[in-house]
Amino acid sequence: PGVAPDDLLRRADPALGDAKSQGRNHVCLFDDSLDEALRVRHRIEHGLADALAGGELAMAFQPIVTRQGHEIVGFEALLRWHTDEFGAISPATFVPIAEESNLIHALGDWVLETSLAAVSAWPGQYVSVNFSPRQFRRPNFVGYIVERCARAGVAPERLQIEITETAIFDDVDHAAETLYRLRQMGFRIALDDFGTGYSSLYNVRKFPLDALKIDPSFVGAMGREREAAAVVQAVIHLAQALGLSVVAEGVETQAQVDLLHLAGVTHLQGFAFAPAVNGTDAALLAAQRFLEDRVSSLVA
Ligand code: C2E
Ligand code: CA
Ligand code: CA
């Protein structure tokens, strides 16, 4: 009662968003906390567009090392946004907001371009770039990747494409075709956050993959929860049987390194080795090739 039509529509929007985020067949009522969340969201959305134009964004690169010898085989490219107003904002917060607006494409372009420029300075490592579901589903994703790599003069073997199962599950045949073509040209494909969400054995069989990435949440819980350890073990066995690499992410302690080593993981990534570092430091690490000790002095 007493709400103007404009206001009613404005309020329906966050309630709809909230309902959608909980899956199908949900009803959500508007309340003030949604309005506040919407305001924060709009500020992030606008701020991000300015950040992209104004150079407030940076890429950081986190080494991925072999289990044996800790050789750096690649770096995951991770987006960083430092704002004057709020300090650092996590990509886990702003990437989903960009994903819901059209910003994700401009953002993704910048990420790919910056990552391909970085890989050119390394002796042989690959760069592993995250692609959100909407980026992956854009028309002619294959052509887009090929064109960007050609323009940067980067060989396909030096780009790893990280996607999650969310990107593939709504159109499995189209995704399989896209990945098949990319893999055939030599691009590497990693399935990110494996073990969370819709993890499906069907996907692992159906898609041409190079690596499975085990989510930090499993690695962190491995020493405490029998269930987490069992999932890690199962994913590693599966990868071995299919001839895939398996990257354990979020490895923080020596105890985790030992457990993962025993379980047969092929690659490791995490603070136990190095955090994500800036482009200059990544080039230094790449040239050094091996990570003997924890590189805790470097933080991007
Ligand atoms: P992700 O792809 O699962 O990335 C791994 C996250 O684990 C990163 O968080 C990384 O900084 C963090 N991490 C690395 N080592 C450790 C560790 O030892 N312990 C713990 N607890 N965490 C560790 P980050 O950088 O905050 O990124 C969060 C998420 O944002 C990423 O998750 C990814 O989904 C997304 N993201 C980041 N950069 C990009 C990007 O350029 N494009 C897209 N589409 N998404 C991105
Ligand atoms: Ca990732
Ligand atoms: Ca991950």
Side-chain angles (χ1 to χ4, degrees), residues 218-258:
F218 287 107
V219 175
M222 211 175 38
R224 296 190 307 271
E225 281 173 26
R226 209 160 48 100
E227 294 79 3
V231 171
V232 170
Q233 190 64 256
V235 173
I236 293 171
H237 278 160
L238 182 67
Q240 280 172 343
L242 295 166
L244 308 177
S245 322
V246 45
V247 184
E249 283 191 290
V251 184
E252 293 180 347
T253 66
Q254 188 57 44
Q256 289 166 355
V257 175
D258 295 342

Side-chain angles (χ1 to χ4, degrees), residues 42-107:
H42 277 155
R43 274 174 85 174
I44 290 181
E45 210 176 299
H46 288 127
L48 199 52
D50 294 342
L52 198 56
E56 269 184 355
L57 297 174
M59 292 311 295
F61 302 94
Q62 186 175 34
I64 299 169
V65 303
T66 57
R67 168 178 65 146
Q68 300 280 0
H70 301 165
E71 181 185 355
I72 303 172
V73 293
F75 291 82
E76 180 170 3
L78 294 162
L79 194 51
R80 296 289 175 259
W81 180 16
H82 194 90
T83 64
D84 290 335
E85 200 178 352
F86 306 107
I89 303 183
S90 164
T93 304
F94 68 78
V95 169
I97 293 175
E99 174 83 357
E100 281 177 29
S101 70
N102 272 323
L103 262 177
I104 191 65
H105 295 300
L107 196 64

Side-chain angles (χ1 to χ4, degrees), residues 107-298:
L107 196 64
D109 271 355
W110 185 84
V111 165
L112 184 56
E113 197 184 315
T114 311
S115 301
L116 291 175
V119 81
S120 308
W122 307 337
Q125 290 91 350
Y126 61 82
V127 65
S128 199
V129 177
N130 293 287
F131 290 91
S132 68
R134 265 188 68 194
Q135 289 178 274
F136 180 71
R137 293 189 202 122
R138 71 188 273 159
N140 196 15
F141 180 73
V142 177
Y144 164 73
I145 295 291
V146 169
E147 194 265 326
R148 288 307 157 113
C149 284
R151 200 196 288 178
V154 171
E157 293 73 23
R158 301 194 63 194
L159 176 63
Q160 176 161 276
I161 294 163
E162 286 197 19
I163 52 163
T164 60
E165 284 170 294
T166 318
I168 52 190
F169 95 118
D170 71 339
D171 190 349
V172 176
D173 292 336
H174 178 69
E177 153 88 15
T178 300
L179 292 179
Y180 181 77
R181 287 173 57 204
L182 288 166
R183 184 107 191 291
Q184 220 177 20
M185 284 183 272
F187 294 100
R188 312 168 59 97
I189 316 283
L191 202 51
D192 201 5
D193 302 343
F194 194 72
T196 66
Y198 302 96
S199 295
S200 143
L201 297 178
Y202 179 79
N203 289 345
V204 170
R205 205 190 89 213
K206 175 106 181 173
F207 296 106
L209 302 170
D210 293 279
L212 299 179
K213 297 195 84 176
I214 303 182
D215 196 64
S217 61
F218 287 107
V219 175
M222 211 175 38
R224 296 190 307 271
E225 281 173 26
R226 209 160 48 100
E227 294 79 3
V231 171
V232 170
Q233 190 64 256
V235 173
I236 293 171
H237 278 160
L238 182 67
Q240 280 172 343
L242 295 166
L244 308 177
S245 322
V246 45
V247 184
E249 283 191 290
V251 184
E252 293 180 347
T253 66
Q254 188 57 44
Q256 289 166 355
V257 175
D258 295 342
L259 275 172
L260 289 162
H261 201 108
L262 264 177
V265 82
T266 61
H267 297 85
L268 303 153
Q269 180 185 345
F271 301 156
F273 299 94
V277 300
N278 66 34
T280 311
D281 289 339
L284 289 173
L285 290 176
Q288 173 189 314
R289 274 193 51 205
F290 294 90
L291 268 188
E292 280 111 65
D293 289 304
R294 184 192 183 97
V295 196
S296 48
S297 57
L298 305 171

